[in-house]
Amino acid sequence: MLNVMREQTGSELQQTRSLPYDVVALVLQGGGALGAYQAGVYEGLHEAGIRPNWLAGISIGALNAAIIAGSPEAERVDRLREFWETICAFSIEWPAGEGLANALPFAFDIHSVRNALAAMRALVQGQPGFFKPRFPSPFWSPFSGDAATSFYDTAPLQKTLERLVDFDRLNSGEVRVSVGAVNVRTGNLTYFDTAERRLGPRHFMASGALPPGFPAVEIEGEHYWDGGVVSNTPLSRVLSGEPCDTLAFQIDLWSAKGRVPYDMMEVSSRQKDIQYSSRTRAVTDQMLRMQKMRQALQRTIEKLPDGAKQDPEIRAIADLARHRSHNIIHLIYQTKPHEGHSRDYEFGLSAMRAHWQSGLEDIRRTLADGRRLDPPPPELGIVTHDIHRRD
């Protein structure tokens, strides 16, 4: 059973769960406007007293990670809400609500229309505190560089991050942060990690620099694009770290499973699902193979004479073969019937709040079964809980 201890944070008395793991990781996938779902999940973890000590993110997941790690513990949810309220301004609201839909001579889903208009507005006007369109278009730009290689300027995002994120706190070591980006020159996925360097706004902007919408971000002479171009889920970064027992909350925004498309809009939507979904099963299968290898090495080392076990190379192998437990709680955002292929850039307030609420409800339902937080049996070493709202 989980031990519960109380700690005083500011004026707020909070419950913090003591979990039987060395690492409690929050793994955040990229997915644009859908990232509000991750914010809702974090709110549910926070209210349950679960405090991740490693945040790993790609794209919008990296931005959520920056807000969480760069805020005082008691203010994290409020800072997330302020971030999402900022970048989702310009929402499309119907003055007459459902009554307007009923009054029209043709039937339509008011949510679909609202979301479509929000997406169109984002494309044409950009989003405050996030990005703004370039004029002239990069196709007509007389200049080279960012103006000729991207449709939007992300300077507003840098100001937002500088306003909402305390980068001294983020780099303090209180929480480890890893964000992925792609080196444009080499094509290799790179992780910017507080365990290895100090991170600033541009590292997080690089992780979210999805081309051709956003420009590459230059860091130390190299240019970087959105990590989702290569891999949209940083789970392997967390599980391939130092040998330790890990509980990972993996929060995905794209589902690998889905129906066969029935029109061109469905084709576009399904393509995004497949392209940006995680390969969790491939990662966990690899971890299972590694676990079996470690167990075989342990049995082999036990057969060696005591003197041989003291050999430095054998001791190094024994350390690599040391048992570790991995518990992966996998939540996947489920697309709503009225959402289409533009759902990742439907930055309306109504859509954002619906995504947030879905994440909050999903994690509350998940944590209602306390057994999901238990370590896996020693002979297995790794377990994955696939949580689906439709299941």
Side-chain angles (χ1 to χ4, degrees):
M1 296 295 292
L2 297 174
N3 296 320
V4 179
M5 63 180 179
R6 293 183 178 272
E7 63 176 17
Q8 190 79 28
T9 303
S11 60
E12 180 180 333
L13 189 64
Q14 299 181 342
Q15 288 186 333
T16 299
R17 292 191 182 186
S18 178
L19 298 166
Y21 299 94
D22 304 308
V23 169
V24 178
L26 183 59
V27 181
L28 304 174
Q29 195 180 74
L34 300 176
Y37 176 82
Q38 297 171 341
V41 171
Y42 179 77
E43 180 181 4
L45 292 175
H46 190 85
E47 72 179 16
I50 296 175
R51 305 289 184 263
N53 55 19
W54 190 347
L55 302 173
I58 299 285
S59 196
I60 197 66
L63 301 184
N64 281 329
I67 301 296
I68 296 168
S71 301
E73 186 176 296
E75 299 177 16
R76 289 172 179 173
V77 175
D78 289 339
R79 291 275 184 94
L80 277 173
R81 197 175 303 280
E82 183 177 354
F83 172 72
W84 280 98
E85 294 279 347
T86 297
I87 68 171
C88 289
F90 292 153
S91 64
I92 305 297
E93 299 294 345
W94 292 96
E98 299 295 336
L100 176 62
N102 295 332
L104 292 174
F106 53 89
F108 69 97
D109 185 335
I110 194 170
H111 299 290
S112 298
V113 173
R114 181 187 290 123
N115 288 359
L117 290 174
M120 185 179 299
R121 182 168 233 168
L123 289 176
V124 175
Q125 294 184 300
Q127 289 299 131
F130 197 172
F131 58 91
K132 59 184 179 181
R134 295 189 185 280
F135 297 104
S137 163
F139 294 115
W140 300 99
S141 175
F143 308 105
S144 60
D146 293 352
T149 57
S150 60
F151 290 101
Y152 300 95
D153 180 358
T154 54
L157 175 60
Q158 181 163 346
K159 293 181 180 179
T160 298
L161 291 174
E162 289 171 346
R163 178 171 63 88
L164 293 178
V165 179
D166 180 345
F167 284 95
D168 288 334
R169 179 182 293 274
L170 185 147
N171 288 285
S172 68
E174 178 184 350
V175 177
R176 181 175 178 179
V177 181
S178 308
V179 296
V182 176
N183 186 308
V184 178
R185 181 179 60 83
T186 66
N188 293 329
L189 182 65
T190 298
Y191 278 97
F192 301 121
D193 197 316
T194 55
E196 301 168 355
R197 66 171 82 191
R198 180 179 175 84
L199 303 189
R202 294 183 65 79
H203 295 96
F204 296 90
M205 294 172 66
S207 183
L210 184 64
F214 299 157
V217 176
E218 183 177 358
I219 298 174
E220 298 176 357
E222 295 285 358
H223 290 78
Y224 296 91
W225 274 335
D226 190 309
V229 172
V230 171
S231 175
N232 200 34
T233 308
L235 178 63
S236 58
R237 175 70 174 186
V238 171
L239 298 187
S240 62
E242 292 295 322
C244 57
D245 295 337
T246 301
L247 170 63
F249 291 92
Q250 180 184 334
I251 318 303
D252 288 358
L253 304 176
W254 306 93
S255 178
K257 295 181 180 180
R259 68 184 182 188
V260 176
Y262 61 84
D263 60 23
M264 290 305 295
M265 298 294 281
E266 280 274 315
V267 169
S268 176
S269 180
R270 188 74 192 108
Q271 180 187 3
K272 283 185 178 179
D273 280 336
I274 296 172
Q275 180 178 357
Y276 294 119
S277 64
S278 66
R279 303 294 180 263
T280 303
R281 182 55 58 84
V283 173
T284 54
D285 285 349
Q286 180 182 4
M287 290 296 126
L288 283 171
R289 289 192 293 271
M290 292 295 295
Q291 181 70 1
K292 292 179 180 179
M293 184 182 299
R294 285 192 291 268
Q295 291 171 346
L297 285 172
Q298 289 171 357
R299 291 192 296 269
T300 301
I301 292 173
E302 289 173 359
K303 297 177 181 179
L304 295 175
D306 291 339
K309 293 178 182 178
Q310 301 307 312
D311 183 276
E313 291 187 356
I314 298 299
R315 294 177 65 178
I317 293 173
D319 186 62
L320 290 173
R322 182 162 53 88
H323 175 79
R324 65 205 71 175
S325 296
H326 295 316
N327 182 353
I328 303 167
I329 296 181
H330 190 192
L331 277 73
I332 309 172
Y333 173 74
Q334 296 302 296
T335 302
K336 299 176 177 63
H338 59 267
E339 293 175 335
H341 73 286
S342 62
R343 60 189 180 276
D344 54 326
Y345 55 94
E346 293 170 359
F347 283 96
L349 282 172
S350 296
M352 181 274 288
R353 289 165 182 161
H355 298 334
W356 187 302
Q357 187 63 30
S358 292
L360 180 57
E361 291 173 358
D362 283 0
I363 192 62
R364 283 173 173 170
R365 181 174 58 84
T366 299
L367 297 178
D369 185 351
R371 294 171 298 178
R372 290 188 172 126
L373 298 176
D374 293 340
E379 66 276 10
L380 187 60
I382 183 169
V383 64
T384 301
H385 299 284
D386 292 313
I387 313 300
H388 233 247
R389 283 198 299 123
R390 290 176 181 168
D391 287 352

